[in-house]
Amino acid sequence: MTGLQRRLADKRVVICAGPGGVGKTTVSAAVALGLASAGRRVAVVTIDPARRLAEALGLDELGNRPQPVDSTRLAGAGLELRGELSAMMLDVKRTFDELIGRLAPDPRTAEELLANPVYQHLSTAIAGSQEYTAMAKLSELVNESDYETIVLDTPPSRSAVDFLQAPERLIEFLEGRAVSALLRPSGRAARYAGVVAAALRRVTGVGLLDELTAFFRLLGDLLDGFRARATDVQRLLRESSTGFLIVTSGEAAAVDEAIYFAGELDRTGLHRCGVILNRVQPLDPGERDVEETAQRLAGRLDPRLARKVARTHSQLQLLAHRDQASMVRLSGALGNPRPFCLADREAGLQDARGLFELQRELWDAG
Amino acid sequence: MNSGLRRRLYDRVGPHVTAKRLLIVSGKGGVGKSTTAAALGLATAARGLRTIVAEVAGRNDAASLLGLTAAGSQETRVSSNLHHVTIDRRTALDEYLREEVPGPFPAAILTRSRAFQGFVDAAPGLQELLTIGKVWELTQDPRRRKNAQPYDVVVLDGPATGQLLALLQAPRTFVSIARAGPVARQGTAIERMLRDPDQTGVVIVATPEQMAVTETLELRAALSEALAVDLDAVVVNRAFPTRFSSAEARALGEVADDPAIRSARWLYGRARAQQAQVARLRRGLSGVPRVTLPYLFSETFDRGCVGRLAELLGRALL
């Protein structure tokens, strides 16, 4: 067993997190593929909007449940799975609606909530709803399915830390404690709330207050359920069988964020199982300046072409040095294990074969 | 600049983009959205237009790219024509209440009320409306804020494509629920500006990669459906140079392996893959001008890099 494989061996849940645009989705798919090829029953969950995983895996349509990945497609790429691989894309709105259906005390409350304009906006647009539903889905799969490992690709939040804080923020909002003073005033607060509400009506109109009152009244019965889910997820995230795999590129800003995120994981007692430095340019130990390289190549290539090659090499070596510096910085800040490096691929990820190659590289990287 | 490069950069871009008062910059996470917004701001300022770069995410990315160490919710001068502001909704709300609500009484009550802050968090579209409302205020001449100078151009370093629609639809979402009152009235005015192609332009940044291209095409369709708004320009960012012909690539395939040869093959392969994505973009973006910005080979991405991109954007768009 190689480094990363060993670190994932005892994990039931693997969460891939990191800054935007570093290849998290592809890495999630490669990790899931690797675990499945080694014999495990694996589900990989990714987030809907860009249908990213479907493109990478060549799947046409993914429902809101994990679907088995077509094994003939993988076999065509030369990959025999000893285990099973299923994949799904999270449909945020549908997951939220299903949650309402499960948690509502009766069908009528559920129906009214689903039709409420405040809810319709909230379920897709409020900060944290995407992350909350991702985690709710994760906990559902852990509790109600027989997958041995679930790999979760995290939403493209601006900051990876948003992902960890999202459930708490959403619950805080749903509790609506602050608003309830305004909508259902009682006791001494009543007179003051009356004045505030009157002022509010002058500014925002009447309709809004009515809709909000209706929304929070309907939601009241479901709150315990939402809280219970959130607590359940917090516990799941803390378990030693849950590991965070941090993915970053060599760009300075991405590395800063990866280090910050790792610190937050440590601070909150969550488990890191590795850092993947993605899209690394290989460092050439025998690097010379452009002139020398061009002269060295001149015997083999047309002089004009040799010059262009030399210039290209020198430009890519700048990136290789940047990546090397990032590697040192990540190792220094995060300690063991050393980051796993993945080479920048010539043509990006094209198909299942590319994913397979990436997976092998990832397994060998440790 | 030589005419070939100029032609490539122009790529059918008209001179009209910065005649608009508001330029909204968005794109998939990690494609260089804030960099492009900062560069666009530098470019319009360099042309003598009084410009402000406004950002909405709380990370001050555009601010640090412009060289500001301390940025905040106050309009800050960067250089002679260039300013910066970070829009946070608390400040936007306070300001709104102070400026727009007649009489001192309601404003004072509302800003002090925790219940009201909770209400702002809960009301659908209200946070987004406050944000876009502040952007709208920055575009007004004369400004609604007392003693504030008007700007010729407001460059918004907007949210990522996934959240852009929610931001732009906020006025309508809010108006449809609130129905009446001063906020709803103003929401209508804001929406009118956002939908007016003479005043507002949408610039999407995409790297020539599959996912970023897909998101850009999806966003174009969604914007057109929801707001009848089209993209004004697409900035193709981090494009690798097409340095090797296919005959040269064949020659490179035949010589003995070597780190420098591998670098050349890598660049050739990557540039070709990018070209395929640029072709997809071109097909899906009929009629939308494209500007191509080169990948900058650099160990650190510093202000010099932003300046170079600003110059290229300026030549192509202004």
Side-chain angles (χ1 to χ4, degrees), chain A residues 148 163-164 185 201 211 238 306 328:
Chain A
E148 291 165 297
F163 178 73
L164 297 177
R201 281 204 178 84
E211 298 289 4
R238 275 188 172 69
V328 170

Side-chain angles (χ1 to χ4, degrees), chain A residues 20-21 49-52 55-56 117-118 121 125-126 158-159 173 178-179 181-182 192 195-196 199-200 202-209 211-212 216 251 257 281 284 293 296-297 300-301 304-305 308-309 311-313 315-319 321-322 344-350, chain B residues 28-30 33-34 57 59 61 96 101-102 105-106 109-110 112-116 118-119 121-125 128 173-174 177-183 210-211 214-215 218 238 243-244 248 251-252 255-256 258-261 263-267 269-270 273 295 297-299:
Chain A
R51 311 200 151 256
R52 298 147 201 262
E55 288 183 13
V118 176
H121 170 82
I126 195 171
R158 193 69 205 206
S159 158
F173 165 78
V179 200
L182 191 61
Y192 176 64
V195 179
V196 173
L200 197 55
R202 278 176 59 190
V203 183
T204 63
V206 212
L208 189 54
L209 267 180
E211 298 289 4
L212 276 172
F216 282 106
E251 279 172 48
E257 193 172 315
Q281 286 289 340
D284 174 10
T293 310
R296 186 167 56 77
L297 295 169
R300 287 182 272 163
L301 295 168
R304 234 192 94 217
L305 179 55
K308 286 202 284 186
V309 171
R311 195 165 136 233
T312 303
H313 188 50
Q315 286 179 324
L316 293 187
Q317 281 302 299
L318 279 177
L319 303 184
H321 285 292
R322 177 199 70 187
D344 200 340
R345 310 189 82 73
E346 190 173 290
L349 184 76
Q350 300 282 340
Chain B
K28 176 181 177 291
K33 186 173 58 64
S34 296
R59 295 206 323 188
D61 283 340
Y96 177 83
V101 179
F105 183 58
I109 287 180
L110 292 181
R112 273 207 310 268
S113 161
R114 248 198 92 221
F116 181 67
F119 168 80
D121 290 339
E128 290 89 350
T173 308
F174 190 84
I177 294 177
R179 292 191 292 269
V183 180
Q210 190 177 26
M211 310 299 189
T214 302
E215 273 196 28
E218 284 176 356
R238 297 196 195 135
R243 193 170 283 160
F244 304 103
E248 286 174 328
L252 291 172
V255 294
D258 164 293
I261 300 288
S263 287
R265 287 185 197 144
W266 183 91
L267 183 67
R270 185 48 81 84
Y295 187 96
F297 294 95
S298 165
E299 268 185 76

Side-chain angles (χ1 to χ4, degrees), chain A residues 164-279:
Chain A
L164 297 177
Q165 293 167 345
E168 246 162 272
R169 280 213 314 269
L170 187 77
I171 294 297
E172 215 170 276
F173 165 78
L174 293 178
E175 285 178 343
R177 245 181 262 139
V179 200
S180 68
L182 191 61
L183 303 175
R184 295 185 295 271
S186 63
R188 275 197 305 163
R191 235 185 97 225
Y192 176 64
V195 179
V196 173
L200 197 55
R201 281 204 178 84
R202 278 176 59 190
V203 183
T204 63
V206 212
L208 189 54
L209 267 180
D210 297 344
E211 298 289 4
L212 276 172
T213 310
F215 171 70
F216 282 106
R217 182 176 49 74
L218 287 167
L219 198 66
D221 293 333
L222 284 70
L223 268 178
D224 287 341
F226 273 109
R227 269 194 293 263
R229 295 263 150 166
T231 315
D232 195 43
V233 167
Q234 302 286 12
R235 198 178 50 236
L236 175 66
L237 293 186
R238 275 188 172 69
E239 275 171 24
S240 60
S241 60
T242 298
F244 284 81
L245 199 54
I246 301 174
V247 187
T248 179
S249 69
E251 279 172 48
V255 172
D256 287 343
E257 193 172 315
I259 291 173
Y260 177 66
F261 184 63
E264 287 296 299
L265 289 178
D266 295 351
R267 195 177 61 78
T268 47
L270 303 176
H271 307 278
R272 296 193 255 133
C273 56
V275 182
I276 292 174
L277 183 56
N278 198 15
R279 300 180 184 154

Side-chain angles (χ1 to χ4, degrees), chain A residues 13 27 60 72 79 86 144-145 157 164 172 181 206 232 262 349:
Chain A
V13 174
V27 168
D60 298 328
T72 54
L79 181 60
S86 295
E144 297 169 24
S145 75
S157 17
L164 297 177
E172 215 170 276
V206 212
D232 195 43
L349 184 76

